[in-house]
Amino acid sequence: MDTNALAASLAVDYPMLNIFWTMLELFLWILWFFLLFKIITDIFRSHDLSGWGKAGWLVLVIILPLIGILAYLIARGQGMGKRDVEQAQKADEAVRAYIRDAAGNAPGDGGGSGSHVEDLAKLADLKERGVISDEEYQKAKDKLLA
């Protein structure tokens, strides 16, 4: 049998609706695994469950996945959303704290030496008012940026 005839016979044996159905099943299977992993991570992330509670939910979700996941979503779905929001807020605050620290203007510095940006702005102001020369400005700027 030649390859064109083989391809034609495969196309006839597997119509377009079956292709759509197979793609839908694949999508739902991937979605199911995503939900399973999301719930397993939420079980371990939950601080209000005891060790035995976590073990029980984990066994239920792994041994009887359909019943376990649906029961977990019904019983603890609202708390799962709250834990997601709390984790996102903690991550956002950590990023903001890192940015403040990297910029050098963390709250509670008490004015200190200020950030490089503020120092450069002060130098530019002094240069514009004619208090320092261009050479002095360039030396001070190089010193700040070094």
Side-chain angles (χ1 to χ4, degrees):
M1 192 181 248
D2 114 22
T3 57
N4 288 338
L6 180 62
S9 69
L10 288 176
V12 171
D13 290 342
Y14 208 70
M16 185 63 97
L17 188 59
N18 286 357
I19 292 172
F20 173 75
W21 187 251
T22 301
M23 289 174 56
L24 183 65
E25 287 175 343
L26 180 66
F27 173 75
L28 290 175
W29 189 66
I30 291 170
L31 183 68
W32 180 258
F33 275 107
F34 174 78
L35 187 60
L36 178 68
F37 293 134
K38 179 90 171 136
I39 287 177
I40 289 173
T41 57
D42 187 66
I43 289 171
F44 286 110
R45 184 177 53 190
S46 178
H47 296 292
D48 60 336
L49 277 177
S50 67
W52 287 108
K54 289 179 183 184
W57 276 114
L58 194 61
V59 166
L60 184 64
V61 164
I62 291 175
I63 301 298
L64 300 170
L66 181 62
I67 295 170
I69 286 178
L70 290 177
Y72 189 85
L73 288 176
I74 291 168
R76 300 182 49 84
Q78 199 170 33
M80 190 168 139
K82 289 177 185 176
R83 283 185 291 278
D84 280 342
V85 169
E86 288 173 6
Q87 183 181 11
Q89 288 172 344
K90 286 179 185 177
D92 184 52
E93 183 55 39
V95 167
R96 290 179 186 271
Y98 173 75
I99 291 171
R100 278 193 305 268
D101 184 44
N105 59 357
D109 279 351
S113 64
S115 69
H116 293 302
V117 175
E118 292 170 352
D119 293 339
L120 285 172
K122 290 176 187 175
L123 279 174
D125 184 48
L126 289 173
K127 181 184 159 195
E128 285 177 12
R129 290 188 298 166
V131 176
I132 59 173
S133 66
D134 288 337
E135 295 86 25
E136 292 170 327
Y137 171 75
Q138 193 61 39
K139 285 179 187 177
K141 184 174 112 176
D142 291 341
K143 184 178 177 184
L144 271 175
L145 296 177

